[in-house]
Every structure is written in structure tokens, then in C-alpha cells.
Amino acid sequence: MRAVKIVVPGAVALTVLLAACGGSTDIAGGSNTPAAAPSTAAAAPATSGDSSTSASSGDATNSSAPASSAAGKYTKAAFTCPTDADTFTFASGGDVNIQDLWQKTLLPAWKTACPSVTINFTFDTHSANANLDVAKVGAALKAGKEPSVDLTDNFSQAAVQAGIAEPVTATDVPSLVNVSADQLAAQQNSAVPFRGSAVLLAYDSTKITAPPTTLDALVAWIKANPGKFTYNSPATGGSGSSFVQTVVAAGIPADALTKMQTSYDAALDANFAPGLAALKELTPSMYQQTYPQGNQAVLDLLGKGEIEMAPVWSDQFLSAQKGGTLGAQYKVVQISEPSFTGGSTFLTIIKGSKHKAAAAAFVNWLLQPEQQATIVTTIAGFPAIPIDALPSDAQGAFAGIDTQDLRPEFESKTNADLQKQWAATVSG
């Protein structure tokens, strides 16, 4: 996932995490390597562990989602292909793996499933024009003109913040019953999560038979096994950033933590102190007492056997196993109390679209188990619906992991402050 700041006309700036976008991207917030079918057996979490789930969560897209609960067990939701012919424009963005997902897999499948509805697909590489695009759509609506975009996953949350997103209900998209209600509410029911990813704890199962499943247990393991764990500096990759944020969040009262996840108040930065002290205390136990630069550097150390455990992005882990740089002995588990952070990517129908019904049908189709399984097996993304709905070969990739309960990061400016304080007090 890559963090992209989108400036919303007439509203606040926010950061959108682009799941699985940016193969070479290795910056705070996300995972991304072009992807690959997951090695299901290899990716299974520890059988002995609790593989337990996030303690709390929300829209992980670094956005302002509050704590989120999963939608629970899957409920079969109706899908009906529109009978009336229609055409709508779908604006997407990200890296080549996302473009391939749409153009080589999902859109051809849609054409077969619903030949009556044609999709004009546009793609914004690296979301470079997302700011401009949301401004153009906003200006068109303000002028009373028909928007040039009907559906987007490129500036969906920016559209919500700008007030140009169309609310959707279960009448429009019956499969909404299967996605996180909290994530929907955080987006004013105007953006629908359809895929995600999260940071997980990877470990060498030939050396560790009972991996930690809580943050306290992980910290204890690190201290008891000096030199066997590391994380990248938080400014150079989302996995290290997630570890730092998780340790720091554990020491912050719940009400203050919520504020720090949803808004910026520099005065609240004082809450960083206990967590930063805990991280400083861990420095002697880090591999070579240094911090790698980037998510990939940590994966490389893990793959070479230099370390035995590390926080990693879910999709990067599976892609590394598919590529052979991580052996089958490496497993992942999700810790709790609190969990590492994660995020979702959303779809938004633009307000005023004359093709809402067709666009909503497409969103509903994407939330069917077959398409959700494609997202898992093609880009190693988390499904937005309960994983028990997926075919067994797709379930194996994240078996035992709650793929819907994604704990949000700190608000972007708050996180930037944390990174500066970490550099000054932990690595300095």
C-alpha cells in the first residue's frame, strides 16, 4: 500500500492508502509488490497460535475510520445483472498490478457476466492525477454539468470528504450486508470497501513453534531473543511504521487514541512518550541494533535467515513466497491487544451520476465471493467480505486471520510527528 495525499477542494487533506499499489514503493503506509497468487499452504498462520484478530479497528486506509467490527459470517446476497443497456465510466488508479487486475481479469469477467453494461475504464498510474481529478469532478458538479466519472477507487475517500459521493444502501448494493458496517459508517455510507491489506507478524516456523499472538508477548519474545527481530525505520516503510504505531498506541488512553487517529492536535503528541520509551528499551534487542531501510529490506533479512521474526505487509509476504524469496517455512500470524494496522480500498459512486444503478450493480458484483477470491489469488489482497465465503483455496491464504477488522493508523500529520520523534529518541 502506498500513502498518497489527496487534497480535497474545500475540505481537508487526507491520505489514501492504495492497497497493493506500487511495486517498488516502500514508504510509510503500505504494501505493494506486484502481486502474485498466494502460496496458500505457506501463508497459513500458526496452527498453534491464536491467530487472533485485531482488537479494534476501522478503515485502515490511514483514514479516519473508527474502531471496526467485522461483518461476521457471510450472508448470501443477491446479484442481478441489469437488463437495460447502459455505459458508465470507472476511474481507477495505482500501480501496474492493480491495472492488470482490472484490465486482464475483473473487467473481462464483468463483460461476460453482464454484457448489457459497458464500462469505460480509465487508469491513473500511481494516482498521480487524483487531486486534479477530484477537483474536476467537483467543479463539474458545481457548474451543474454531468460528471466525467461515475465510479472511482482512485479518489473515493476524497470524494466523500468533498461531498461529491453518492450514498449507497443495501437496496443499491445488496452485498453491503457482508462488509464492515463501521467502515461504511466512517465513510458516511458513501464509499464501499472492496479489498484491503494489513501488517502481520511473520516468523520462521522451523525455529518458532508458538509465535506471540499479543503485543505484550511479542515484546517479551524480542527481549528474550536478542538479534532475532527487527523492523524498518517508520519513515521508510509501512510495516515498520505499523510496529512503531502499535507499540505507541498500546500506551495511549482509548479516547485520546481515537482523536489521534481521526484528527490532528499537536498537544496530543505528548502521548507518544511511554511508547517511545518502550521502543528505546527494545533497541539493544534489535538485529545488529540498527533499523533497515524499507519493507523489502526486512523481508530480505527474514528470507536469508538473518532474523526469525518481523512485521510484514500481508500482500508483500505472499508475493515474496510466490517469488521464492521466502520459503514455505515462513508463516504469518496476527497479533492482538492491539493488532498491527491495516487498510481498505474503497469504491465510490459520484453524486449526480446518471448511471448509478449500473455502477452499483458492478460494486455488488465485485463483492460476490468469486470476485473477492480473485482479489485474494491475484494480488494477495484481503477480501472485504467474510473469508468463509471464499472457495477453500482462497481461504487458505489468510486462514485464521480476521481480514475485515483493520486497525487504523494515526492521522497522517500525527504519524509524521511520531516518525520525527522516533528518529530523535529511538534511533538517534
Side-chain angles (χ1 to χ4, degrees), residues 5 11 23 27 80-81 107-108 117 149 156 163 181 186 211 220 228 234 241 265 274 293 315 336-337 371 400 415:
K5 179 157 285 187
I27 60 178
T80 304
C81 184
L107 293 179
V117 177
V149 173
S156 55
K228 302 301 182 184
S241 177
D265 181 351
Q293 299 297 299
D315 53 351
S336 62
E337 302 174 9
Q371 285 63 251
N415 195 28

Side-chain angles (χ1 to χ4, degrees), residues 134-162:
V134 72
K136 285 181 177 177
V137 171
L141 290 171
K142 188 175 182 179
K145 299 179 180 178
E146 185 174 356
S148 58
V149 173
D150 300 292
L151 178 72
T152 183
D153 68 347
N154 194 32
F155 50 87
S156 55
Q157 291 170 281
V160 173
Q161 292 292 324

Side-chain angles (χ1 to χ4, degrees), residues 272-364:
F272 293 155
L276 290 171
L279 289 163
K280 182 69 174 178
E281 189 178 333
L282 289 177
T283 297
S285 300
M286 293 294 108
Y287 171 75
Q288 295 187 345
Q289 299 185 26
T290 60
Y291 299 92
Q293 299 297 299
N295 301 318
Q296 188 59 50
V298 173
L299 280 168
D300 291 344
L301 289 173
L302 197 64
K304 293 175 182 176
E306 296 291 325
I307 58 175
E308 296 176 4
M309 186 181 292
V312 299
W313 278 103
S314 54
D315 53 351
Q316 287 192 326
F317 174 83
L318 294 178
S319 295
Q321 288 203 313
K322 179 66 176 179
T325 56
L326 274 182
Q329 75 271 28
Y330 293 98
K331 312 290 185 184
V332 287
V333 65
Q334 193 172 58
I335 68 165
S336 62
E337 302 174 9
S339 67
F340 291 134
T341 53
S344 292
T345 299
F346 294 78
L347 286 159
T348 293
I349 299 173
I350 299 300
K351 183 177 292 185
S353 169
K354 295 181 179 178
H355 312 285
K356 177 180 177 180
F362 180 60
V363 174
N364 193 43

Side-chain angles (χ1 to χ4, degrees), residues 113-325:
C114 287
S116 62
V117 177
T118 299
I119 298 177
N120 291 328
F121 180 73
T122 65
F123 194 80
D124 179 14
T125 302
H126 303 309
S127 298
N129 298 304
N131 288 337
L132 180 61
D133 289 345
V134 72
K136 285 181 177 177
V137 171
L141 290 171
K142 188 175 182 179
K145 299 179 180 178
E146 185 174 356
S148 58
V149 173
D150 300 292
L151 178 72
T152 183
D153 68 347
N154 194 32
F155 50 87
S156 55
Q157 291 170 281
V160 173
Q161 292 292 324
I164 58 172
E166 182 75 23
V168 292
T169 68
T171 301
D172 305 311
V173 180
S175 293
L176 286 188
V177 297
N178 287 312
V179 305
S180 166
D182 289 345
Q183 290 198 45
L184 287 169
Q187 301 303 319
Q188 304 171 32
N189 295 305
S190 299
V192 180
F194 76 103
R195 62 179 172 88
S197 64
V199 173
L200 303 172
L201 183 65
Y203 64 96
D204 185 341
S205 66
T206 64
K207 300 175 180 175
I208 303 166
T209 56
T213 56
T214 66
L215 179 62
D216 286 347
L218 172 58
V219 169
W221 189 94
I222 293 170
K223 291 179 178 177
N225 297 274
K228 302 301 182 184
F229 177 93
T230 196
Y231 62 95
N232 58 274
S233 59
T236 65
S239 61
S241 177
S242 180
F243 179 78
V244 169
Q245 291 187 60
T246 301
V247 172
V248 170
I252 299 176
D255 56 344
L257 180 60
T258 298
K259 292 177 182 176
M260 296 171 76
Q261 291 168 334
T262 57
S263 60
Y264 179 67
D265 181 351
L268 294 174
D269 287 358
N271 289 297
F272 293 155
L276 290 171
L279 289 163
K280 182 69 174 178
E281 189 178 333
L282 289 177
T283 297
S285 300
M286 293 294 108
Y287 171 75
Q288 295 187 345
Q289 299 185 26
T290 60
Y291 299 92
Q293 299 297 299
N295 301 318
Q296 188 59 50
V298 173
L299 280 168
D300 291 344
L301 289 173
L302 197 64
K304 293 175 182 176
E306 296 291 325
I307 58 175
E308 296 176 4
M309 186 181 292
V312 299
W313 278 103
S314 54
D315 53 351
Q316 287 192 326
F317 174 83
L318 294 178
S319 295
Q321 288 203 313
K322 179 66 176 179
T325 56

